[in-house]
Amino acid sequence: MVTFSRIFSLKGFLCMLFAAMAFGFASCEKDSVEEPVKVNQMELFYNESKGLADTSIDSVGSFSDKFCVYMNQHHEAINDEYYSPTVDNMVSAAAAFGYKLTISTGVGITFDTEWDEGYFITF
């Protein structure tokens, strides 16, 4: 009787092991990994810049700061198709609030607080 129960236990163990392996192999098929969606940050900047004229000069300044930080880190973005329209939107938005936005070489933003008429952004 002892031998029969040992065989039965071993048989049950082997069945459970086989079942576990079968489920393990069934779930080991190659997972389909989706490519991460590449986000064009300049396109996002462009889309955000389209609404700048409907905000405040503080929002234009905050956006310009964010834009300059990005441009400092990604100099190649100046060649992006959305760069010029984004800059144009920033210039137009600043003009709508009575500020002059100037784009030049280098990277930085300055407000002309003495005259309160100028807003300078440099790239």
Side-chain angles (χ1 to χ4, degrees):
M1 182 85 174
V2 173
T3 308
F4 178 71
S5 67
R6 283 187 182 171
I7 293 174
F8 185 76
S9 297
L10 183 59
K11 197 178 202 182
F13 173 74
L14 290 175
C15 286
M16 288 178 33
L17 181 64
F18 178 73
M21 287 175 44
F23 285 120
F25 288 128
S27 66
C28 285
E29 65 183 67
K30 185 176 180 182
D31 294 334
S32 61
V33 177
E34 294 182 21
E35 290 291 323
V37 177
K38 292 184 180 181
V39 176
N40 183 346
Q41 185 63 41
M42 288 302 292
E43 183 177 1
L44 295 176
F45 280 133
Y46 169 70
N47 289 333
E48 186 176 350
S49 73
K50 291 190 290 188
L52 285 176
D54 299 329
T55 62
S56 67
I57 191 61
D58 291 335
S59 295
V60 175
S62 295
F63 176 81
S64 297
D65 289 341
K66 181 172 55 172
F67 185 76
C68 281
V69 167
Y70 179 80
M71 291 306 297
N72 272 327
Q73 296 170 350
H74 303 90
H75 299 288
E76 72 283 354
I78 199 166
N79 299 320
D80 193 284
E81 64 182 310
Y82 293 103
Y83 173 78
S84 291
T86 302
V87 170
D88 292 342
N89 288 341
M90 290 182 344
V91 170
S92 298
F97 293 106
Y99 286 85
K100 182 178 180 185
L101 183 86
T102 306
I103 309 293
S104 62
T105 318
V107 179
I109 298 176
T110 56
F111 279 101
D112 185 355
T113 55
E114 182 179 338
W115 296 101
D116 202 29
E117 295 178 4
Y119 181 83
F120 300 95
I121 181 171
T122 56
F123 292 101

